[in-house]
């Protein structure tokens, strides 16, 4: 079997699940990983003959993909902010929107500051911040022991030092204060499941995705309340949000007397992020 033969087989068997651009991306990812071929050379390698070992790898991946398993879990890894992260079904696959959240935070001068990531999962937010802010002190919390095991592996892989905390944020108590609190908490309501693909519903951890329709902002309310005792006076909160609850979140922030309440758009022009602070940048710089 040549690489081109496999591609034709893959397209034939997966076209009912994925769009052609997705199939091309999956093919490139498999070829890069299994054959160690740079993406720029894959088009020139169509006629490469797959030996028995590689055929087994490619065909095994195809069988997993046919069950809607995400390519990131098939490969056991993904990239985020140009870093490599191990992933499995214990953690959410990092999304491009969450990359935008990290880049938003990195616009601030936070090197040397203390940062707390709530619901860290794979560790993608905490580790990316620590990698780009080598003097920052980053802590990361998750309720899942399995997720924290993945996050610790990723911290080692990316050569950063993170304080990992195994706890339920609703029951976590500490005396410490932070300069930044960041979270990408569960924000997809149960009723929104109908709009989601099988590769998410059947494989990614529900605990990291979904909230009850009856209390869709419970994580945000707790985090904002938590911040009043655990955020330095000039600190900021960065949250990835469900745009359907913008008005509820705005009211929550007002109730907790945050002076600066900023909703920010992602690259798809959806309201995706909420940034809260007690003082704006101009005020901070004059203190």
């Amino acid at each position: 079997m040549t690489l081109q033969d496999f591609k034709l087989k893959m397209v034939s068997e997966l076209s009912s699940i994925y769009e052609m651009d997705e199939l091309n991306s999956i093919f490139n990812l498999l070829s890069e990983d299994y054959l160690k071929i740079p993406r720029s050379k894959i088009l020139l390698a169509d006629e490469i003959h797959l030996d028995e070992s590689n055929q087994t790898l490619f065909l095994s991946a195809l069988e997993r993909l046919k069950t809607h398993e995400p390519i990131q879990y098939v490969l056991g890894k993904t990239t985020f902010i140009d870093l490599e992260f191990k992933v499995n079904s214990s953690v959410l696959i990092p999304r491009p929107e969450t990359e935008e959240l990290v880049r938003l935070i990195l616009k601030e001068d936070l090197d040397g500051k203390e940062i707390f990531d709530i619901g860290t999962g794979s560790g993608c937010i905490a580790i990316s911040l620590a990698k780009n802010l080598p003097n920052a002190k980053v802590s990361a919390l998750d309720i899942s022991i399995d997720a924290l095991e993945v996050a610790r592996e990723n911290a080692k892989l990316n050569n950063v030092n993170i304080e990992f905390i195994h706890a339920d944020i609703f029951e976590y108590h500490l005396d410490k204060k932070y300069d930044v609190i960041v979270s990408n908490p569960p924000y997809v309501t149960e009723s929104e499941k109908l709009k989601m693909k099988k590769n998410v519903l059947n494989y990614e951890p529900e605990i990291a995705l979904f909230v009850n329709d009856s209390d869709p902002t419970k994580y945000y309310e707790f985090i904002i309340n938590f911040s009043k005792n655990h955020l330095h006076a000039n600190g900021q909160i960065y949250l990835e949000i469900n745009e359907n609850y913008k008005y509820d979140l705005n009211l929550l922030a007002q109730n907790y007397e945050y002076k600066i309440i900023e909703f920010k758009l992602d690259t798809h022009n959806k309201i995706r992020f909420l940034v809260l602070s007690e003082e704006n940048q101009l005020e901070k710089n004059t203190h």
Side-chain angles (χ1 to χ4, degrees), residues 78-87 91-103 105-106 117 119-132 138 140 142 147 150-152 154-155 158 160 162 164 182-184 240:
T78 190
T79 56
F80 183 89
I81 310 284
D82 300 321
L83 301 174
E84 183 175 304
F85 286 84
K86 295 181 180 181
V87 290
V91 299
L92 285 183
I93 297 165
R95 300 316 202 257
E97 295 83 4
T98 308
E99 283 199 10
E100 293 183 55
L101 175 64
V102 171
R103 295 188 192 282
I105 297 170
L106 289 173
D117 176 25
T120 196
S122 65
C124 61
I125 293 175
I127 291 165
S128 298
L129 291 173
K131 193 71 175 178
N132 285 277
V138 183
D142 206 285
V150 174
R152 287 190 179 98
N154 284 325
N158 287 289
V160 295
I162 307 281
F164 288 109
V182 56
S183 185
N184 175 22
E240 188 171 328

Side-chain angles (χ1 to χ4, degrees), residues 43-274:
L43 287 175
L44 304 176
D46 279 355
E47 296 306 316
I48 190 170
H49 185 77
L50 300 178
D51 61 25
E52 187 175 343
S53 175
N54 281 327
Q55 280 193 46
T56 299
L57 282 173
F58 277 91
L59 293 175
S60 174
L62 178 57
E63 289 305 307
R64 293 173 68 178
L65 290 163
K66 283 160 66 175
T67 70
H68 298 262
E69 185 173 0
I71 181 62
Q72 294 90 342
Y73 290 160
V74 172
L75 295 175
K77 63 183 180 181
T78 190
T79 56
F80 183 89
I81 310 284
D82 300 321
L83 301 174
E84 183 175 304
F85 286 84
K86 295 181 180 181
V87 290
N88 60 33
S89 57
S90 298
V91 299
L92 285 183
I93 297 165
R95 300 316 202 257
E97 295 83 4
T98 308
E99 283 199 10
E100 293 183 55
L101 175 64
V102 171
R103 295 188 192 282
L104 188 63
I105 297 170
L106 289 173
K107 290 180 180 179
E108 300 291 332
D109 181 14
L110 296 174
D111 214 10
K113 302 295 187 180
E114 295 200 80
I115 300 169
F116 189 35
D117 176 25
I118 297 174
T120 196
S122 65
C124 61
I125 293 175
I127 291 165
S128 298
L129 291 173
K131 193 71 175 178
N132 285 277
L133 302 167
N135 297 312
K137 297 175 183 177
V138 183
S139 302
L141 176 147
D142 206 285
I143 192 173
S144 168
I145 292 176
D146 292 336
L148 285 175
E149 183 178 337
V150 174
R152 287 190 179 98
E153 289 182 25
N154 284 325
K156 185 176 180 180
L157 177 66
N158 287 289
N159 195 30
V160 295
N161 184 29
I162 307 281
E163 177 194 17
F164 288 109
I165 302 161
H166 175 230
D168 181 343
I169 188 58
F170 293 103
E171 300 175 0
Y172 185 55
H173 303 286
L174 79 167
D175 297 325
K176 194 170 182 179
K177 290 192 174 185
Y178 299 91
D179 299 291
V180 168
I181 293 174
V182 56
S183 185
N184 175 22
Y187 63 66
V188 181
T189 58
E190 293 284 340
S191 61
E192 291 176 305
K193 278 187 177 182
L194 297 173
K195 304 173 186 176
M196 301 184 76
K197 294 182 178 180
K198 288 182 181 179
N199 59 350
V200 175
L201 292 176
N202 293 352
Y203 289 96
E204 299 200 58
E206 289 198 3
I207 192 173
L209 279 170
F210 299 110
V211 287
N212 290 328
D213 289 75
S214 60
D215 196 6
T217 60
K218 72 173 186 177
Y219 286 96
Y220 299 101
E221 182 170 9
F222 187 88
I223 291 167
I224 293 170
N225 181 42
F226 175 90
S227 72
K228 297 308 289 186
N229 294 319
H230 300 293
L231 193 69
H232 286 305
N234 292 341
Q236 291 179 294
I237 307 172
Y238 289 84
L239 301 168
E240 188 171 328
I241 68 168
N242 184 332
E243 68 174 349
N244 294 329
Y245 298 99
K246 172 190 172 181
Y247 296 106
D248 303 82
L249 295 174
N250 187 54
L251 184 59
L252 266 177
Q254 289 181 21
N255 288 343
Y256 283 97
E257 299 180 345
Y258 276 95
K259 294 179 183 177
I260 310 300
I261 303 170
E262 297 178 280
F263 289 94
K264 295 184 179 289
L265 303 177
D266 64 17
T267 54
H268 301 290
N269 286 320
K270 286 190 174 184
I271 296 170
R272 183 72 66 180
F273 313 111
L274 172 59

